Amino acid sequence: MSSHRTYADDLFPQEVMDSGTASPPQDYQSSTSTSSQSSHQHYLESANSRIHVGWVTSPYEANEELDTAISGHCSRLGEAKYTFVAFPVGGVVRGFWKPVEGAKNEPPVIQLPDVQLANNLWETYVTGRTSPWIDCDSEDPKFAELSEESLITELNYIAYMGLNSMTIQLKRISSPRTAALFNKWVWTRNTRFTMWIQLPSSVEQCLDFDPQSTPKTIDIWTIWANFRRGCYNFSGVYLQAMLRIAGDLPDEFVDRKRVDRWKAEPLGGFVVETDVYGTDRNGMASLSSAHTSFLRQLWTSDGLRILVDPKTDTFLYNVTLKAEYALALRQAVRDVNYKSSESSTTSLAVSEYKDVLQAPLQPLSENLDSSVYNVFEQDKIKYDAYGDAVMGVLKDLGADGRKEIVIYLLGGGRGPISSPNSPTKVNVPRNGPVTIGVYIHGTTILRAEKEYNTNFRQKGDHLKVKLYIVEKNANAIITLRYMNHRTWRRRVTIIESDMRSLPEIARKMNYHQPDLIVSELLGSIGDNELSPECLDGVTDFLKPETISIPQKYTSYVAPIMSNHIHQTIRAQSIPYLARGLPSHGRLQPELNGDGAWIQPYPQGDIINNMDQIYVVFLSKYISLSRESKEMFTFQHPNFQHQTNERSAFIEFPVDRNTDIMGFAGYFDLHLYKNVILSTVPETHTPGMMSWFPALIPLREQLRADDGDTVALKIDRKVDQGGVWYEWNAQLKKPNGEIITTPIQNPNGESYYMRM
């Protein structure tokens, strides 16, 4: 069954997911093919209702009667397959009034009666368009003041009408007064409707463009980003950009890396001017390949909207032209999301976790529950890799003819629930497939023993694995003992203990020293669930030649752009009934004078939100680097007792104007020799479903220009109670100017991993 394509699908190629599965019978394939073709045809035919194309009411069709006959106007547009209309909210008489320079201008009053349409039609079919003559940033102070008064009047009327959306066209590179008006409106009014901010089709079209004084670095994205910042980055659910497409595309709409920035912005859709259309060989209106490519590159969802803005009156004399405009747009994008959804192959139901913030687990200080273990035990790709690594060790150590190998599984979880070699289907619990992935099945190790003896030992000369499983979670111990009795035939010695206490327990119980230790204690950047501290705790019990799986893991980072995720982090709030829950920082809940438990946040709620590391299934974002760069590396066993504190300064060139919201984190691990697993985008292990990326946010989005260099300065710090990271960013300009952001999470006040 097809499902909507996700970021994870880019990491899980079809051939990987299909490998090892039997081909269906020919008649099944034939019926499936026929069904797929039928589904595809239905998908294309549904474009009229699925892809929303609207019409911008223009002066060419405006007359006084239209303001009281909007229902007929809407009906005629509906016949041409338009699903909504952008109509002057004050009526066409007011909307297309022409102010006279130097005169005392008094615009016509609003004359668009609300009773001529049912409320639900105003809400769903009509987008309120502010009067095109309004210019709050005019050089004429009197006209700027008149524009502000008129814009507030029209916003109030949009709220009165109950419209779900409105649109305004920016005319200038810099619109501070317009942004200030919207900033006050969105933050102080309890009325909510979507505001589509139409951007100029090019910088050169702006009223304040000066070829001599306008900086070369200014582009359309910068115009939008400055306006968004002027509204204090209000929620992208309500404040959205609309890209205006004219006949000549500016360079930034052709340069792919600059176009990609809009995937990280709250994009509402497009305004397509009719001069972009040509004619095909049948004489029908059509789009050029360049315009089609631009639309398709940014058509990330069928929820986007397209407005057709007529620039000539040709449509008045060609009765089919309106319909052709809409048809050409739908044909350009109608199959984009069908192809994406059709190629989704992963069985992991992760769509609902897109851009959802999750706190990394702290399994050392907190016990995991059964549903979390259930998620961890599903990743066949990972288990196969661990099995290959164990097999590699058995082959190398068994080459000397030894009869026994002692293996310790550190962090056993629940043990095997199903065969790691059989296909699995993931059932995701409500808290999502979070950070530490699958704990290693004891069965994986015992199966490796069986496979080794089958392939490399004669009957009667078998190599025996003596397996110990160490687990601190008393609840998981119950399952491990059950599995030992039911599946492992009591072959496993189960040790209920924190692994850091293993040396003392083992000496007391006279347990064998390990030839191999196997663990999977890794977070989304490898060390962020204290794998180094855990494994260092058993070092004194190891032989000098003991092997560790994994042998090494390295974290990686890359700067990212995502206004949406930055807003999401800032907007988090603590419900009343959750105010006593422990934070992720150093401080613990306190009992106040009223007898209620309260978690203190002396740094403030917003700083507390921004100074944490999250786990996020990234969706509405783009990476700002061609490659991720190394951060921290840890090797095991750590026989030299090297400190687990780390410090890194990682630089990235900036190749476009952008707002940097933070850094995405990944890691790779070398299990044994050439057996490697990776979540790094450039080297991601095909088919592996464990570990969403980590997110290291900045408190404020950092504006960077093409040619700048951005760096992440991050320290991993350790004390007696736990581990924490401190980080900040540094931006270096070509002229040598350096901008440094504040140090985040000082002393682990917001994010502290307890030992």
Side-chain angles (χ1 to χ4, degrees):
M1 179 183 297
S2 296
S3 60
H4 291 295
R5 186 172 176 81
T6 68
Y7 166 78
D9 296 326
D10 296 327
L11 310 178
F12 309 151
Q14 177 80 38
E15 61 270 19
V16 172
M17 298 303 294
D18 287 346
S19 63
T21 59
S23 299
Q26 187 63 40
D27 58 344
Y28 174 83
Q29 291 179 329
S30 175
S31 64
T32 302
S33 175
T34 302
S35 175
S36 176
Q37 292 173 2
S38 175
S39 175
H40 183 228
Q41 184 63 30
H42 174 75
Y43 191 86
L44 297 181
E45 291 173 353
S46 70
N48 286 339
S49 59
R50 184 169 44 81
I51 298 171
H52 294 278
V53 179
W55 179 263
V56 178
T57 301
S58 67
Y60 305 116
E61 55 200 317
N63 56 66
E64 290 189 24
E65 290 75 23
L66 196 58
D67 287 342
T68 54
I70 191 173
S71 60
H73 181 54
C74 292
S75 296
R76 290 188 292 274
L77 290 174
E79 292 171 359
K81 306 302 181 185
Y82 288 88
T83 55
F84 69 108
V85 59
F87 198 87
V89 69
V92 295
V93 175
R94 175 185 172 91
F96 301 123
W97 168 72
K98 299 289 186 181
V100 178
E101 187 176 351
K104 183 180 179 181
N105 288 300
E106 293 185 2
V109 297
I110 292 176
Q111 294 183 343
L112 185 66
D114 62 324
V115 293
Q116 58 183 316
L117 283 180
N119 282 23
N120 67 307
L121 293 178
W122 284 115
E123 293 170 5
T124 59
Y125 197 80
V126 179
T127 292
R129 181 190 182 193
T130 60
S131 296
W133 50 264
I134 289 176
D135 184 6
C136 301
D137 295 277
S138 169
E139 290 87 352
D140 181 344
K142 290 185 178 179
F143 189 71
E145 184 177 348
L146 172 66
S147 293
E148 286 187 341
E149 293 173 356
S150 299
L151 180 55
I152 291 172
T153 297
E154 294 188 6
L155 288 174
N156 283 328
Y157 198 64
I158 290 169
Y160 165 76
M161 300 274 279
L163 304 185
N164 283 337
S165 58
M166 60 81 62
T167 184
I168 184 172
Q169 185 173 351
L170 296 186
K171 301 178 173 66
R172 299 177 180 272
I173 293 172
S174 179
S175 305
R177 293 185 64 167
T178 305
L181 188 151
F182 272 87
N183 187 37
K184 183 177 180 180
W185 178 276
V186 297
W187 286 102
T188 63
R189 294 292 297 264
N190 196 31
T191 302
R192 291 284 185 261
F193 44 78
T194 301
M195 299 177 172
W196 288 329
I197 311 302
Q198 293 184 38
L199 301 172
S201 59
S202 68
V203 174
E204 292 75 17
Q205 294 297 318
C206 296
L207 296 179
D208 53 349
F209 172 75
D210 185 329
Q212 304 302 321
S213 60
T214 300
K216 301 296 184 184
T217 57
I218 293 294
D219 58 9
I220 296 169
W221 176 85
T222 305
I223 295 172
W224 158 251
N226 288 341
F227 185 87
R228 166 172 52 74
R229 181 182 286 184
C231 298
Y232 200 64
N233 294 316
F234 193 72
S235 169
V237 174
Y238 301 105
L239 189 69
Q240 299 177 355
M242 293 281 278
L243 299 183
R244 178 169 284 271
I245 305 175
D248 294 326
L249 290 175
D251 290 344
E252 66 179 290
F253 284 1
V254 180
D255 181 355
R256 187 175 186 88
K257 69 176 183 293
R258 296 168 74 190
V259 172
D260 278 346
R261 292 175 299 182
W262 295 104
K263 296 178 181 178
E265 293 287 356
L267 182 62
F270 308 88
V271 180
V272 179
E273 297 181 358
T274 53
D275 61 1
V276 309
Y277 289 95
T279 55
D280 61 19
R281 59 187 178 185
N282 297 316
M284 301 281 285
S286 64
L287 297 175
S288 72
S289 59
H291 290 95
T292 300
S293 176
F294 176 70
L295 280 171
R296 290 175 67 86
Q297 187 176 342
L298 290 179
W299 196 258
T300 57
S301 164
D302 287 346
L304 294 169
R305 299 290 189 267
I306 308 178
L307 279 167
V308 176
D309 189 359
K311 291 302 169 186
T312 68
D313 63 355
T314 310
F315 67 91
L316 295 176
Y317 311 106
N318 184 338
V319 293
T320 66
L321 201 53
K322 276 186 182 178
E324 291 177 24
Y325 290 154
L327 176 63
L329 289 168
R330 289 190 172 102
Q331 287 178 332
V333 299
R334 63 182 181 174
D335 64 336
V336 174
N337 291 304
Y338 178 83
K339 288 182 177 179
S340 295
S341 63
E342 190 179 46
S343 58
S344 177
T345 56
T346 177
S347 60
L348 181 60
V350 294
S351 295
E352 63 184 293
Y353 300 104
K354 285 183 176 181
D355 297 328
V356 174
L357 302 175
Q358 300 181 70
L361 295 180
Q362 295 198 23
L364 190 56
S365 60
E366 302 172 359
N367 285 329
L368 306 181
D369 62 40
S370 179
S371 64
V372 175
Y373 283 125
N374 184 58
V375 175
F376 298 165
E377 291 158 359
Q378 309 300 322
D379 197 330
K380 181 180 183 297
I381 300 297
K382 178 192 276 184
Y383 279 130
D384 287 348
Y386 266 89
D388 291 343
V390 172
M391 173 62 71
V393 174
L394 295 184
K395 288 168 63 177
D396 288 349
L397 295 185
D400 61 9
R402 68 180 69 190
K403 301 293 186 182
E404 183 178 79
I405 290 181
V406 179
I407 301 178
Y408 278 73
L409 174 56
L410 305 176
R414 299 189 304 178
I417 302 302
S418 63
S419 167
N421 293 320
S422 62
T424 56
K425 182 179 180 181
V426 174
N427 298 304
V428 182
R430 293 304 303 170
N431 62 340
V434 282
T435 53
I436 69 170
V438 186
Y439 271 55
I440 309 307
H441 281 175
T443 301
T444 302
I445 297 172
L446 297 178
R447 284 178 179 247
E449 173 203 58
K450 181 179 180 181
E451 184 179 346
Y452 172 80
N453 285 322
T454 300
N455 294 327
F456 300 102
R457 289 292 179 97
Q458 300 295 323
K459 188 173 183 180
D461 186 32
H462 284 179
L463 174 69
K464 182 178 181 181
V465 168
K466 187 170 184 61
L467 179 60
Y468 295 81
I469 296 181
V470 183
E471 174 57 52
K472 72 174 183 63
N473 188 340
N475 300 308
I477 287 289
I478 296 171
T479 304
L480 285 172
R481 288 173 176 158
Y482 170 73
M483 296 305 299
N484 196 24
H485 172 75
R486 180 177 179 271
T487 304
W488 301 327
R489 301 179 182 177
R490 302 187 183 277
R491 287 193 53 189
V492 179
T493 300
I494 296 172
I495 304 170
E496 181 180 354
S497 171
D498 186 316
M499 68 183 69
R500 293 171 294 176
S501 301
L502 178 61
E504 179 183 354
I505 294 172
R507 292 187 184 103
K508 181 179 178 181
M509 300 299 296
N510 199 28
Y511 290 149
H512 295 76
Q513 286 181 281
D515 299 299
L516 169 65
I517 57 173
V518 184
S519 64
E520 200 290 271
L521 310 165
L522 304 172
S524 288
I525 48 175
D527 63 274
N528 64 305
E529 291 179 1
L530 306 188
S531 176
E533 285 69 30
C534 291
L535 294 179
D536 283 359
V538 305
T539 302
D540 291 342
F541 176 56
L542 307 182
K543 303 175 185 179
E545 65 274 13
T546 296
I547 297 170
S548 171
I549 295 178
Q551 295 180 307
K552 181 178 75 169
Y553 40 90
T554 300
S555 53
Y556 295 76
V557 291
I560 65 169
M561 176 183 177
S562 178
N563 184 63
H564 169 71
I565 299 177
H566 199 269
Q567 291 172 336
T568 303
I569 297 173
R570 292 183 69 91
Q572 291 182 104
S573 60
I574 301 172
Y576 177 80
L577 295 179
R579 59 185 180 151
L581 296 180
S583 72
H584 303 126
R586 187 181 287 271
L587 295 180
Q588 292 287 281
E590 300 173 353
L591 191 64
N592 69 8
D594 298 331
W597 284 94
I598 301 293
Q599 171 63 56
Y601 296 97
Q603 69 273 44
D605 292 352
I606 292 181
I607 289 180
N608 177 68
N609 291 346
M610 302 309 301
D611 285 12
Q612 298 186 49
I613 292 179
Y614 296 91
V615 175
V616 186
F617 177 33
L618 296 171
S619 176
K620 295 179 182 177
Y621 87 108
I622 61 167
S623 176
L624 297 171
S625 177
R626 293 181 179 179
E627 61 178 3
S628 308
K629 294 189 177 182
E630 293 186 12
M631 186 166 66
F632 302 142
T633 295
F634 295 86
Q635 297 188 5
H636 300 290
N638 182 14
F639 287 124
Q640 290 76 34
H641 297 284
Q642 295 178 345
T643 178
N644 289 324
E645 292 193 328
R646 297 285 191 277
S647 183
F649 185 82
I650 311 151
E651 292 185 302
F652 300 88
V654 178
D655 62 1
R656 71 203 92 174
N657 297 353
T658 185
D659 280 341
I660 301 169
M661 67 81 52
F663 297 81
Y666 315 95
F667 76 102
D668 65 22
L669 66 156
H670 292 244
L671 295 174
Y672 184 67
K673 293 187 174 179
N674 63 344
V675 183
I676 300 172
L677 292 172
S678 174
T679 70
V680 183
E682 303 89 82
T683 60
H684 195 285
T685 301
M688 187 173 68
M689 299 179 291
S690 297
W691 298 296
F692 290 165
L695 177 62
I696 307 171
L698 299 176
R699 289 181 185 172
E700 301 290 344
Q701 296 187 70
L702 182 62
R703 176 64 57 83
D705 297 324
D706 187 3
D708 293 349
T709 299
V710 67
L712 172 66
K713 172 68 169 66
I714 185 167
D715 298 316
R716 189 182 197 266
K717 299 193 173 187
V718 183
D719 65 12
Q720 289 295 319
V723 179
W724 71 101
Y725 304 96
E726 295 180 7
W727 67 91
N728 69 308
Q730 183 183 97
L731 188 70
K732 186 176 182 179
K733 297 288 184 179
N735 63 4
E737 178 189 1
I738 294 178
I739 301 170
T740 303
T741 67
I743 294 175
Q744 295 182 226
N745 194 39
N747 199 35
E749 65 180 7
S750 299
Y751 179 55
Y752 184 74
M753 298 164 284
R754 290 178 174 80
M755 289 197 289

